[in-house]
Amino acid sequence: MTPREVLALCREREIQAIDLRFMDFPGTQKHFTVPAKILVEKSFEDGFGFDGSSMRGWKAINESDMLVVPQPETAFVDPFMTNTLVMTCNIQDPITREDYAKDPRNVARKAESYMRSTKIADVANFGPEAEFFIFDDVQFDQNEHECYYHVDSIEGQWNRGKAGSTPNAGYKIRHKEGYFPVPPADTLQEARTEMMLALMDCGVEVEAQHHEVATGGQCEIDMKYAPLLKTADNLLRYKYIVKNVAAKHGKTATFMPKPLWNDNGSGLHLHMSLWKEGKPLFAGSRYGGLSEMGMYAMGGILKHAPALFAFCCPTTNSYKRLIAGYEAPINLTYSYRNRSAAIRIPVHSPHPENKRFEFRCPDSSSNPYLAMSAVLMAMLDGIQNKIDPGHPLEKDIYDLKPDELAELPAVPESLEQALQALRNDHQFLLVGDVFTEDVIDTWIWYKSSQEVAALRERPHPYEFAMYYDI
């Protein structure tokens, strides 16, 4: 849509409020709302002022004035709020009118621009598979004398013997057996369908929705692939709709990677392909039907993977998902069909336009603008420098003997390791000024001081189980 079309839509739908949204540096969506009557065509150039000093990792209080500039192509009518139109915004400096370097959406725009400048490709398509949990109840707290969390789901295996005011009908989903059950075991079918239809009404193309592997309400809704920036915008819309439909049903949704111990965690599997002038560039006659360019793109991701984890798996909880036995990648390898590899080459279709590979390491706690931009830069580096991805892995990683496993490069075991890898390997991200040294430094500082250190200095409940009687 153009600005003029947005204003026409506001009149047609009797819009009274304009919700202006953007993403903060770590990856949480923010917003403020203005009356619809003050939105005019010039607003799409002049923007709206706000205080950026309270945004995590952004401006100091003495330089806090910033602008949000609404992007008309992102407009949609909010399905939950009365007479409200939503737009995603770019962030600018009000004095220089330059795009703000720490605005995640700006990083994604620069990544796409740099890709086009290389003449390698003009479109990078990303197809995300974002998993999440829907719980009936969640309680948690952390203070000086206690630390705990408690989640509950009517589907949870732990509720098989539960007695209460209403009869227990059984049909509880066993650990790791939640893939594709039908109702009544799948209690979330109606909610997921409502999420799917809301996404489609808001302009997000959906391919399928289903229950996922874990007990306790794990779900997935697959969005159709789109260019990087649009996919990142869609993921913000996706999280908003999932959380609000869950709330409407009296439930709570989380994209936390590992909320349940001893069952599968939630990933953000990214299907990727590069295109030029409407033609797919990854189809060829090499391994798995990939082109030479596709092989080099995989090589770039595998080479820079430890650093990529700092953006793709950016929480301390992320690394509780990346352990053996739960369909999460634990080694940096690639394979045809094999889901235990970090990169999988799907075989669903022989058509060249469907040829792609799937990076299975990321999770939905990531900031999609930064994570996908980093992955694209790694692919381009692999192509430009003809990085060989090495030999494929044809075996199930989980069945390998210790001596065989030792020969394979492993994923980082903690956020701290991933941040160190990013500190040592980030030159490929600085090319084209896509990321800047300040962005990298701020990311490492924020994650190290606000998350890694915060967890390190607090007692863990399981430590009491292990050490209280020592």
Side-chain angles (χ1 to χ4, degrees), residues 39 45 54 72 88 150 367 390:
L39 182 73
E45 296 179 10
S54 295
T88 301
H150 177 87
N367 183 323

Side-chain angles (χ1 to χ4, degrees), residues 142-149 320 452-470:
Q142 165 77 65
N143 52 52
E144 288 78 7
H145 75 283
E146 64 181 355
C147 173
Y148 67 90
Y149 70 91
K320 294 175 172 62
V452 173
L455 263 291
R456 184 167 51 229
E457 66 187 31
R458 285 166 169 80
H460 188 283
Y462 197 60
E463 291 176 321
F464 280 78
M466 292 191 296
Y467 305 133
Y468 186 77
D469 60 349
I470 199 165

Side-chain angles (χ1 to χ4, degrees), residues 202-440:
C202 293
V204 179
E205 291 189 73
V206 176
E207 295 185 332
Q209 61 91 347
H210 59 85
H211 202 289
E212 257 297 342
V213 172
T215 188
Q218 191 182 32
C219 301
E220 177 177 309
I221 303 173
D222 296 332
M223 293 183 287
K224 185 177 175 63
Y225 67 84
L228 188 158
L229 184 64
K230 184 176 181 180
T231 296
D233 287 341
N234 284 346
L235 276 167
L236 268 65
R237 205 171 299 186
Y238 179 101
K239 284 189 172 184
Y240 177 72
I241 288 172
V242 165
K243 290 178 179 180
N244 279 277
V245 170
K248 179 182 173 183
H249 284 254
K251 299 179 185 291
T252 175
T254 180
F255 290 86
M256 188 175 176
K258 190 77 170 183
L260 295 182
W261 175 69
N262 205 31
D263 213 333
N264 284 28
S266 294
L268 176 65
H269 306 153
L270 295 176
H271 293 254
M272 297 170 286
S273 61
L274 297 182
W275 294 63
K276 188 173 184 179
E277 298 175 354
K279 296 180 180 179
L281 301 179
F282 280 2
S285 57
R286 298 285 298 274
Y287 180 83
L290 286 181
S291 64
E292 186 174 59
M293 180 183 291
M295 298 295 290
Y296 290 147
M298 285 198 305
I301 290 176
L302 292 173
K303 175 184 176 181
H304 298 297
L308 293 177
F309 272 65
F311 291 110
C312 294
C313 303
T315 68
T316 58
N317 185 253
S318 298
Y319 298 85
K320 294 175 172 62
R321 166 182 165 254
L322 300 171
I323 56 177
Y326 297 96
E327 297 189 23
I330 57 172
N331 289 90
L332 300 174
T333 58
Y334 71 97
S335 181
Y336 188 52
R337 304 177 67 178
N338 191 340
R339 279 179 163 80
S340 66
I343 296 179
R344 180 181 74 94
I345 305 169
V347 296
H348 298 131
S349 172
H351 301 297
E353 61 269 23
N354 293 327
K355 184 52 61 178
R356 63 194 188 276
F357 58 76
E358 173 192 16
F359 187 34
R360 293 179 58 80
C361 298
D363 65 58
S364 294
S365 68
S366 61
N367 183 323
Y369 297 108
L370 300 181
M372 288 190 288
S373 297
V375 170
L376 175 58
M377 295 301 287
M379 285 198 292
L380 294 174
D381 185 64
I383 294 166
Q384 290 167 323
N385 292 292
K386 298 184 177 181
I387 298 173
D388 188 340
H391 297 293
L393 181 75
E394 303 290 6
K395 300 178 182 179
D396 186 339
I397 287 179
Y398 307 142
D399 292 336
L400 293 181
K401 297 176 182 177
D403 58 330
E404 294 177 299
L405 200 58
E407 297 176 0
L408 301 175
V411 302
E413 294 183 348
S414 67
L415 177 58
E416 192 169 17
Q417 285 187 12
L419 293 171
Q420 185 59 52
L422 177 62
R423 186 177 285 109
N424 296 337
D425 176 27
H426 62 263
Q427 289 301 314
F428 71 101
L429 298 172
L430 304 179
V431 180
D433 200 39
V434 174
F435 289 75
T436 65
E437 287 282 6
D438 186 38
V439 166
I440 300 294

Side-chain angles (χ1 to χ4, degrees), residues 18-229:
I18 306 297
D19 203 43
L20 303 170
R21 297 186 184 175
F22 57 96
M23 180 166 269
D24 72 2
F25 196 54
T28 301
Q29 195 172 18
K30 303 292 185 179
H31 80 127
F32 65 93
T33 307
V34 299
K37 65 181 181 181
I38 72 171
L39 182 73
V40 296
E41 274 196 69
K42 200 165 176 56
S43 303
F44 294 89
E45 296 179 10
D46 293 346
F48 298 87
F50 77 105
D51 176 6
S53 65
S54 295
M55 295 296 108
R56 296 176 295 175
W58 277 11
K59 291 283 192 178
I61 196 167
N62 62 317
E63 52 179 7
S64 60
D65 290 342
M66 303 185 79
L67 292 175
V68 295
V69 182
Q71 302 303 297
E73 69 275 11
T74 68
F76 69 95
V77 177
D78 193 311
F80 308 106
M81 305 298 160
T82 304
N83 301 105
T84 299
L85 184 89
V86 176
M87 283 187 285
T88 301
C89 302
N90 293 335
I91 308 299
Q92 289 186 351
D93 185 292
I95 298 174
T96 66
R97 296 308 303 263
E98 291 181 351
D99 293 321
Y100 185 43
K102 293 180 187 175
D103 172 17
R105 196 171 192 271
N106 181 39
V107 174
R109 291 163 60 215
K110 289 194 292 183
E112 287 190 320
S113 178
Y114 170 70
M115 172 191 66
R116 290 188 289 269
S117 75
T118 67
K119 309 298 184 184
I120 292 172
D122 50 34
V123 174
N125 278 324
F126 285 78
E129 296 178 2
E131 298 165 336
F132 55 94
F133 279 86
I134 299 177
F135 294 125
D136 293 294
D137 184 60
V138 57
Q139 303 167 43
F140 55 89
D141 203 359
Q142 165 77 65
N143 52 52
E144 288 78 7
H145 75 283
E146 64 181 355
C147 173
Y148 67 90
Y149 70 91
H150 177 87
V151 298
D152 202 8
S153 164
I154 193 173
E155 293 183 359
Q157 176 178 317
W158 56 86
N159 278 323
R160 287 186 300 198
K162 184 176 183 179
S165 58
T166 57
N168 188 336
Y171 297 115
K172 307 307 178 188
I173 294 175
R174 291 177 287 273
H175 289 298
K176 301 175 70 173
E177 293 187 22
Y179 204 56
F180 285 14
V182 297
D186 179 4
T187 67
L188 300 167
Q189 167 67 9
E190 284 287 350
R192 287 197 312 274
T193 295
E194 188 174 333
M195 293 168 185
M196 177 181 74
L197 297 177
L199 283 164
M200 293 165 65
D201 286 344
C202 293
V204 179
E205 291 189 73
V206 176
E207 295 185 332
Q209 61 91 347
H210 59 85
H211 202 289
E212 257 297 342
V213 172
T215 188
Q218 191 182 32
C219 301
E220 177 177 309
I221 303 173
D222 296 332
M223 293 183 287
K224 185 177 175 63
Y225 67 84
L228 188 158
L229 184 64

